[in-house]
Amino acid sequence: MASPRTQSVSTVTTLVSLVFLALASLWLMQGPIGIYYQQTYHRGYPLAVLEESEIWKSGQQIWASLNGAIDDAGKSLDADSVRLTDDANQKFVLTEDFYLREQQAKVAEENQRRAAAELLARQKQEAEASRLAAAARLRQEQAATEAATTAAKDAAREAEQAASQQALQAQQAQQAALDERSRALALAAQQGAEEQRRANYLMIAAPGKVFMAGDSLMQGIAPHLLRTLKTQYGIEGVDLSKQSTGLSYPNAFNWPETISRTILKDPGIRLLVIMLGPNDPWDMPDPANRGGKFLRFKTPEWEAVYRQRIAGIIQSNAAHGVSTLWIGAPGMKASKLDGQMLWLMQIVQDEVEKQGAVFVDTRHLLPGENVGYSDSILLDGKNTKMRSGDGIHFSVAGQKYLARQILDKLRLPQPATPQ
């Protein structure tokens, strides 16, 4: 049996080992621990002052090297998959029938614009003829009054003034009607052009690829959408959706950088479908003042930074010939989160459309009595449960339903296999 002195030494040795292990873990994992502290308590990390020490920063560098080695191993496993995917992409091309329909649509659009222009020209000619006729009548009345007596001239002058007034009123009424018809035609033409632009903007066909990005809501939708695109249209997809991510904390997960890097790596990507929001209604670090105060949610400063990140994604996509389809967050069961999403999605929709991309409002796709939220909707004559029990995520039926709604927004070729 060990003596009391031996037991005491063993206990001290164990405590020293535990303290050393804890300090070593904190030294190596300082980056993830700092991010977790900021996202949980929404203020600066207390040990940030140690970042000036080279010894302290070397722990983070060792940790990054370990993670880099793991990532390199993963990339080597992906190489063969990328090669097989590229070979398959070469086998899918657009059919002549698809190009024929596209040409016919362009011809129909040009005919519609030409017909509208011809109608407007005819209306202008009719208005000019009416004006000339009224002017001729006025000249005839003036010639008659010059040959009459002073009394007749006075009477004729009064009649002339009355006729002139009536002609002017008739001309004004005719011009007003013409202006109204012109405005209606112009509005119809503008709406048709916008619909055609949106259809062309969301046109996708093999060998082009679809890139899915977003949080856990997109993680449920993406597999169903990509499966349909692959089996029915031969269109490949890339799914990088990741739970608990958004645009508020790029130091935890940087979506703009991830999207840009992925598109540069895979030039075949032609369309980004993205869905973010429920993880973003928090105070966030000010990118212009590192280590300073956090930007308060819903303030103009917070909104400006969020809009910049949306615009940056869309503009970067456009520079590489990639269209953006932004899916809005649906109504939420919790009233606080639902109010936050209602405000945030208005900001997102405004910025997305301002940048020329397309926004899909899912609040109207899943209507309910509770200000945009409902567990179920009437689908094909049946009351179908669309949402999970947490009041945030979708059921499997809801995931498939939204995948079909997104698919309907795309301009696709003829299916390679029967639907």
Side-chain angles (χ1 to χ4, degrees):
M1 180 175 180
S3 66
R5 176 179 178 82
T6 301
Q7 291 179 345
S8 176
V9 170
S10 177
T11 300
V12 170
T13 302
T14 300
L15 289 175
V16 169
S17 299
L18 290 175
V19 170
F20 175 81
L21 181 61
L23 291 175
S25 299
L26 181 61
W27 176 58
L28 287 171
M29 301 175 65
Q30 57 187 271
I33 294 173
I35 291 174
Y36 172 80
Y37 185 92
Q38 289 186 7
Q39 289 188 300
T40 302
Y41 301 102
H42 305 292
R43 57 175 179 264
Y45 183 42
L47 297 182
V49 295
L50 296 177
E51 292 179 357
E52 301 298 325
S53 171
E54 293 298 326
I55 296 177
W56 179 255
K57 287 195 296 186
S58 65
Q60 186 172 6
Q61 294 169 353
I62 293 173
W63 180 255
S65 298
L66 292 175
N67 283 331
I70 295 173
D71 288 340
D72 290 339
K75 290 177 182 177
S76 65
L77 293 176
D78 289 340
D80 289 340
S81 176
V82 171
R83 179 179 56 78
L84 292 175
T85 300
D86 290 339
D87 291 341
N89 286 340
Q90 300 300 322
K91 299 178 182 179
F92 298 101
V93 296
L94 293 175
T95 65
E96 294 182 359
D97 184 56
F98 178 76
Y99 283 114
L100 178 60
R101 288 197 308 276
E102 183 180 12
Q103 183 63 31
Q104 291 173 344
K106 292 180 179 179
V107 171
E109 180 185 1
E110 180 61 27
N111 290 339
Q112 183 180 10
R113 284 199 296 266
R114 187 180 296 111
E118 290 174 353
L119 176 60
L120 182 60
R122 269 197 315 273
Q123 291 170 346
K124 289 182 177 179
Q125 290 175 354
E126 293 171 358
E128 180 63 14
S130 298
R131 186 188 67 79
L132 292 175
R137 286 194 300 271
L138 288 174
R139 287 193 298 271
Q140 290 175 355
E141 292 173 359
Q142 290 172 353
T145 56
E146 290 175 358
T149 63
T150 304
K153 288 181 180 181
D154 292 340
R157 188 179 299 110
E158 292 176 359
E160 179 187 351
Q161 291 175 350
S164 178
Q165 183 65 26
Q166 291 175 356
L168 179 60
Q169 291 175 351
Q171 184 179 2
Q172 290 175 342
Q174 187 177 16
Q175 186 63 42
L178 181 61
D179 291 344
E180 184 63 28
R181 293 175 65 184
S182 298
R183 283 194 294 270
L185 287 172
L187 179 60
Q190 182 179 1
Q191 291 174 344
E194 176 60 18
E195 291 176 0
Q196 186 65 34
R197 186 197 71 80
R198 288 167 63 95
N200 292 336
Y201 184 76
L202 297 179
M203 183 170 61
I204 182 72
K209 297 180 182 179
V210 176
F211 178 13
M212 311 294 291
D215 52 24
S216 53
L217 294 179
M218 179 59 83
Q219 281 183 314
I221 298 172
H224 303 291
L225 180 60
L226 293 180
R227 186 180 303 114
T228 301
L229 290 172
K230 171 64 176 177
T231 58
Q232 295 185 13
Y233 302 97
I235 298 174
E236 299 286 348
V238 178
D239 180 16
L240 294 185
S241 52
K242 181 179 179 65
Q243 66 184 25
S244 302
T245 59
L247 297 179
S248 292
Y249 280 83
N251 57 338
F253 191 87
N254 194 322
W255 270 119
E257 180 180 305
T258 299
I259 292 170
S260 177
R261 184 173 61 247
T262 302
I263 291 174
L264 287 174
K265 181 180 178 181
D266 191 345
I269 294 173
R270 297 269 65 87
L271 173 65
L272 169 70
V273 182
I274 182 169
M275 186 178 194
L276 294 169
N279 297 308
D280 285 331
W282 302 97
D283 299 346
M284 64 178 172
D286 183 357
N289 186 16
R290 184 177 180 183
K293 293 183 178 180
F294 277 44
L295 300 178
R296 301 284 292 176
F297 179 60
K298 285 190 177 182
T299 61
E301 295 78 12
W302 192 100
E303 178 183 336
V305 172
Y306 202 84
R307 281 179 178 271
Q308 288 172 2
R309 290 171 182 171
I310 295 172
I313 290 173
I314 298 173
Q315 292 171 6
S316 176
N317 289 350
H320 294 90
V322 177
S323 299
T324 303
L325 178 59
W326 204 293
I327 311 301
M332 300 293 169
K333 187 174 184 179
S335 59
K336 179 180 179 181
L337 181 57
D338 188 59
Q340 292 170 332
M341 287 300 96
L342 182 61
W343 180 85
L344 184 58
M345 288 305 106
Q346 291 172 343
I347 301 300
V348 173
Q349 180 175 3
D350 180 71
E351 190 61 35
V352 167
E353 293 177 349
K354 185 183 298 182
Q355 296 298 326
V358 178
F359 179 85
V360 176
D361 184 1
T362 60
R363 294 182 75 90
H364 299 308
L365 296 177
L366 299 171
E369 298 178 358
N370 299 326
V371 193
Y373 178 82
S374 176
D375 283 333
S376 305
I377 64 171
L378 192 63
L379 187 63
D380 297 330
K382 297 180 181 179
N383 196 35
T384 305
K385 187 175 178 62
M386 294 282 109
R387 308 297 289 274
S388 63
D390 63 5
I392 298 175
H393 296 87
F394 303 112
S395 65
V396 174
Q399 295 166 357
K400 293 180 178 179
Y401 173 74
L402 281 179
R404 289 195 300 271
Q405 297 299 317
I406 296 171
L407 192 69
D408 289 342
K409 303 294 181 183
L410 306 182
R411 185 176 178 185
L412 298 161
Q414 281 292 103
T417 58
Q419 298 188 29

